[in-house]
């Protein structure tokens, strides 16, 4: 059953005895005074539908603990120690000096209950409602979009390790798989917790091992009993099938049907990097910097630094692209906003979607690349979409084909401008983008003073990203879902701290901002 905090304070209640020592304007002092107003018991009533059993830790206490844990980036054990020995935490949670801490698994218990509920991000929603009630964002219609890579909680695995681990998982979780492994899988002793004993500096030995392990995986998948699988078993089989194919290709003289494999001479675009956390991915935030993990996306009001929405996705994949996720972060806006973003958000499709939603895009355009340094770019060609024609810098006009291509090959021969235009033997060819008009207009606008005056507010999002990642660059959980819930709690804590700095108070039952 749900526990509730009593209305009467304990004799040694820390806030009563030493509350004056709390730093004014701190999250500890705010929670000590407004914890029960912020996290009412009714907010968590659905987590404890039964009125029987031992009472839980009071909801307002646990919500305060969960928020402080996310704010300070502590483990469960460290959090319990803080609740037990740190008077600031005791004051924030309304506990007496003599109160002992609960067991660390209590935090796991609450996270699981929240995850299984209809509102797993309710703490984030509460703080978002406070932001709305204060009216602090009224009239502030700029939203800066950005993302950052957060490191995963697992080790990146090589192909051999993943294959062996995936086979073991199928053997453990799929009915009848153990017998198949015993009878058909001979590349490795799958009871041995270590790696196969081979000459790892011998390329031929490594290739032979990979070929044998892939063969084991295929034989295991092919000989599994034909039966309906539960979610856990089906996931294990799907993961093995993925791992067995993502890093390998047929050997040079194979037609792909004789079962001979080697490590592929490329990296799969959406490669699983660990069977311990199949959602973790390689991430390339820049050309020269590679990280493994997930990507956190945020929409920020740049003047206040408040994060209006957030989302955590895989670090790679079409559904994780900045422009795709950034648009989703604006779904909750009730009025048109000015969207600030770098070139990652400057795709034609994203710009068209912003226009359709009534928003204004102040987004850095994707740079144009020229074949020849100092030569002609696409913008040097006059595109007339109404007539369906393209005119080159030399004045030659061609029709735009149904495939959206335009070829100038017959005009390039002997053209005096050709050395500045193309190195192709068959002449210059253009592909006209589906949103060509929007993209050209964006590149022209980016050169104006008005654009620069507005875009200068965009770097303020870096401040919010710095707050988000300080001491929390490495995640503590596995999978997108669990880490997304953590991100929402972390953002809720940061927003609450920012609101307190801005002057958050409660007056006659309403949250307001008092100018300081």
């Amino acid at each position: 059953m749900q526990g509730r905090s009593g209305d009467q304070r304990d004799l040694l209640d820390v806030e009563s005895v030493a509350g004056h020592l709390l730093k004014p304007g701190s999250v500890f002092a705010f929670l000590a005074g407004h914890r029960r107003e912020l996290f009412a018991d009714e907010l968590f009533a659905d987590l404890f539908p039964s009125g029987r059993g031992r009472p839980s830790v009071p909801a307002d206490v646990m919500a305060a603990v969960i928020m402080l844990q996310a704010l300070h980036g502590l483990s469960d054990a460290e959090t319990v120690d803080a609740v037990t020995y740190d008077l600031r935490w005791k004051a924030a949670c309304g506990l007496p000096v003599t109160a002992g801490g609960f067991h660390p698994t209590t935090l796991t218990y609450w996270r699981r209950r929240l995850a299984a509920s209809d509102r797993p991000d309710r703490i984030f929603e509460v703080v978002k409602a406070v932001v709305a009630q204060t009216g602090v964002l009224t009239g502030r219609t700029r939203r800066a979009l950005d993302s950052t890579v957060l490191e995963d909680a697992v080790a990146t695995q090589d192909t051999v390790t993943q294959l062996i681990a995936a086979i073991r998982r199928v053997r453990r979780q799929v009915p009848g798989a153990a017998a198949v492994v015993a009878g058909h899988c001979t590349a490795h002793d799958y009871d041995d917790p270590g790696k196969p004993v081979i000459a790892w500096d011998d390329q031929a030995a490594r290739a032979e091992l990979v070929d044998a392990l892939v063969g084991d995986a295929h034989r295991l998948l092919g000989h599994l009993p034909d039966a309906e699988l539960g979610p856990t078993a089906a996931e294990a089989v799907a993961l093995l099938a993925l791992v067995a194919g993502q890093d390998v290709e047929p050997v040079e003289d194979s037609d792909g049907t004789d079962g001979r494999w080697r490590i592929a001479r490329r990296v799969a675009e959406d490669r699983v990097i660990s069977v311990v956390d199949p959602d973790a991915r390689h991430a390339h935030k820049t050309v020269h910097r590679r990280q493994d993990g997930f990507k956190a996306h945020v929409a920020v009001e740049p003047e206040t630094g408040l994060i209006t929405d957030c989302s955590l996705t895989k670090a790679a994949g079409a559904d994780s692209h900045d422009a795709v996720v950034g648009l989703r972060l604006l779904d909750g806006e009730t009025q048109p906003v000015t969207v600030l973003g770098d070139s990652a958000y400057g795709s034609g499709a994203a710009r068209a979607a912003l226009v359709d939603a009534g928003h204004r895009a102040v987004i850095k355009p994707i740079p144009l690349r020229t074949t020849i340094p100092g030569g002609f770019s696409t913008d040097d060609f006059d595109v007339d979409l109404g007539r369906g024609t393209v005119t080159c810098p030399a004045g030659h006009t061609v029709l735009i084909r149904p495939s959206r291509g335009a070829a100038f090959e017959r005009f390039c021969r002997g053209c005096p401008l050709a050395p500045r235009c193309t190195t192709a033997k068959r002449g210059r060819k253009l592909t006209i983008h589906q949103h060509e008009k929007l993209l050209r207009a964006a590149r022209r606008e980016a050169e104006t003073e008005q654009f620069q005056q507005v875009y200068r507010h965009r770097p303020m999002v870096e401040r919010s990203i710095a707050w988000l990642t300080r001491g929390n660059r490495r995640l503590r959980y596995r999978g997108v879902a669990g880490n997304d819930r953590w991100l929402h709690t972390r953002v809720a804590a940061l927003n609450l701290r920012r609101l307190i700095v801005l002057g958050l108070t409660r007056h006659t039952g309403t949250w307001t901002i008092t100018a300081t």
Side-chain angles (χ1 to χ4, degrees):
M1 62 181 293
Q2 181 177 358
R4 299 175 184 270
S5 295
D7 294 328
Q8 190 169 359
R9 292 182 175 183
D10 191 277
L11 178 64
L12 296 178
D13 179 86
V14 174
E15 202 275 328
S16 298
V17 175
H20 63 284
L21 298 178
L22 292 173
K23 183 178 179 180
S26 68
V27 176
F28 294 110
F30 180 85
L31 289 176
H34 300 288
R35 177 189 66 260
R36 297 185 66 181
E37 297 165 313
L38 190 64
F39 303 117
D41 290 331
E42 295 74 20
L43 180 67
F44 300 91
D46 62 299
L47 302 183
F48 302 92
S50 174
R52 294 178 293 181
R54 188 173 63 180
S56 69
V57 177
D60 63 291
V61 174
M62 284 306 304
V65 170
I66 290 171
M67 178 167 281
L68 288 172
Q69 178 185 28
L71 182 64
H72 294 279
L74 302 183
S75 68
D76 290 352
E78 291 168 337
T79 299
V80 171
D81 284 346
V83 173
T84 306
Y85 305 115
D86 193 322
L87 292 181
R88 298 173 303 171
W89 283 65
K90 285 183 179 291
C93 298
L95 300 176
V97 175
T98 55
F102 44 78
H103 196 274
T105 56
T106 302
L107 286 163
T108 305
Y109 174 81
W110 272 78
R111 281 196 298 270
R112 287 180 176 174
R113 288 228 168 189
L114 286 168
S117 71
D118 294 334
R119 298 172 58 201
D121 300 321
R122 65 187 69 194
I123 292 177
F124 172 80
E125 293 167 4
V126 165
V127 177
K128 191 171 183 177
V130 172
V131 172
Q133 192 173 107
T134 63
V136 68
L137 297 182
T138 302
R140 294 186 169 105
T141 58
R142 296 191 184 103
R143 299 293 181 268
L145 303 178
D146 205 358
S147 68
T148 187
V149 176
L150 301 178
E151 299 172 0
D152 55 57
V154 299
T156 301
Q157 297 175 324
D158 58 34
T159 304
V160 169
T161 302
Q162 289 198 58
L163 284 167
I164 293 174
I167 290 173
R168 285 175 178 155
R169 180 176 174 181
V170 170
R171 182 181 66 169
R172 183 173 62 252
Q173 296 180 346
V174 179
V180 177
V181 171
H184 298 277
C185 300
T186 58
H188 177 60
D189 179 4
Y190 295 99
D191 291 319
D192 184 353
K195 274 192 169 184
V197 180
I198 65 167
W200 287 99
D201 57 350
D202 184 343
Q203 184 175 353
R206 295 199 307 270
E208 182 180 352
L209 175 62
V210 169
D211 178 54
L213 288 173
V214 174
D216 276 4
H218 287 178
R219 284 189 291 274
L220 174 54
L221 292 170
H223 287 84
L224 284 176
D226 188 10
E228 187 74 23
L229 298 178
T232 302
E235 182 180 339
V237 171
L239 181 61
L240 176 59
L242 177 60
V243 169
Q246 68 174 359
D247 291 338
V248 298
E249 63 186 7
V251 297
E252 288 184 6
D253 59 344
S254 170
D255 61 359
T257 62
D258 57 3
R260 292 184 296 144
W261 307 94
R262 69 175 184 184
I263 294 290
R265 303 296 192 265
R266 45 87 181 134
V267 177
E269 183 178 353
D270 197 24
R271 181 178 185 267
V272 171
I273 62 174
S274 172
V275 296
V276 179
D277 187 352
D279 288 342
R281 293 290 187 272
H282 293 308
H284 293 270
K285 191 64 175 171
T286 66
V287 175
H288 304 289
R289 183 184 178 191
R290 193 192 80 178
Q291 295 174 272
D292 294 334
F294 299 84
K295 190 179 286 187
H297 307 260
V298 295
V300 177
E301 196 292 304
E303 186 176 346
T304 61
L306 292 170
I307 300 175
T308 58
D309 208 349
C310 63
S311 179
L312 184 135
T313 66
K314 297 177 183 178
D319 292 339
S320 303
H321 192 278
D322 288 350
V324 174
V325 182
L327 291 172
R328 293 203 299 264
L329 297 182
L330 301 173
D331 288 344
E333 298 294 340
T334 57
Q335 60 181 332
V337 295
T338 298
V339 181
L340 311 176
D342 59 23
S343 58
Y345 300 90
S347 68
R351 292 180 183 277
L354 289 173
V355 170
D356 291 342
H359 302 311
R360 178 192 174 195
V362 181
I363 298 174
K364 190 175 181 180
I366 300 171
L368 288 178
R369 293 181 174 84
T370 58
T371 305
I372 300 168
F376 297 120
S377 71
T378 302
D379 279 353
D380 293 312
F381 290 72
D382 183 20
V383 178
D384 189 333
L385 296 175
R387 295 184 177 182
T389 61
V390 180
T391 303
C392 74
H396 303 297
T397 301
V398 299
L399 294 174
I400 301 174
R401 297 172 179 173
S403 61
R404 309 194 70 83
F408 292 87
E409 50 190 350
R410 63 190 178 92
F411 297 111
C412 292
R413 302 186 189 96
C415 177
L417 299 182
R420 295 176 55 195
C421 191
T422 182
T423 58
K425 292 182 179 180
R426 301 190 62 181
R428 183 70 178 261
K429 294 182 179 180
L430 295 183
T431 299
I432 308 304
H433 197 279
Q434 179 183 0
H435 302 289
E436 185 75 23
K437 185 177 180 179
L438 276 175
L439 293 173
R440 284 175 173 257
R443 289 192 288 269
R444 289 193 300 269
E445 183 187 14
E447 297 175 356
T448 65
E449 181 65 23
Q450 183 183 10
F451 178 93
Q452 298 299 330
Q453 286 296 322
V454 178
Y455 190 75
R456 68 183 178 85
H457 294 279
R458 185 257 162 202
M460 299 300 288
V461 71
E462 305 292 348
R463 172 185 61 176
S464 298
I465 291 287
W467 292 338
L468 175 65
T469 58
R470 186 174 298 147
N472 288 269
R473 177 68 71 177
R474 182 174 293 278
L475 296 166
R476 294 184 179 274
Y477 309 106
R478 290 179 290 176
V480 167
N483 284 311
D484 184 60
R485 290 191 293 271
W486 169 85
L487 176 64
H488 278 80
T489 306
R490 169 78 175 164
V491 166
L494 293 173
N495 279 348
L496 180 62
R497 186 177 68 182
R498 187 61 185 157
L499 285 169
I500 295 169
V501 171
L502 294 173
L504 178 65
T505 187
R506 192 165 177 85
H507 180 67
T508 62
T510 303
W511 296 108
T512 61
I513 295 293
T514 302
T516 56

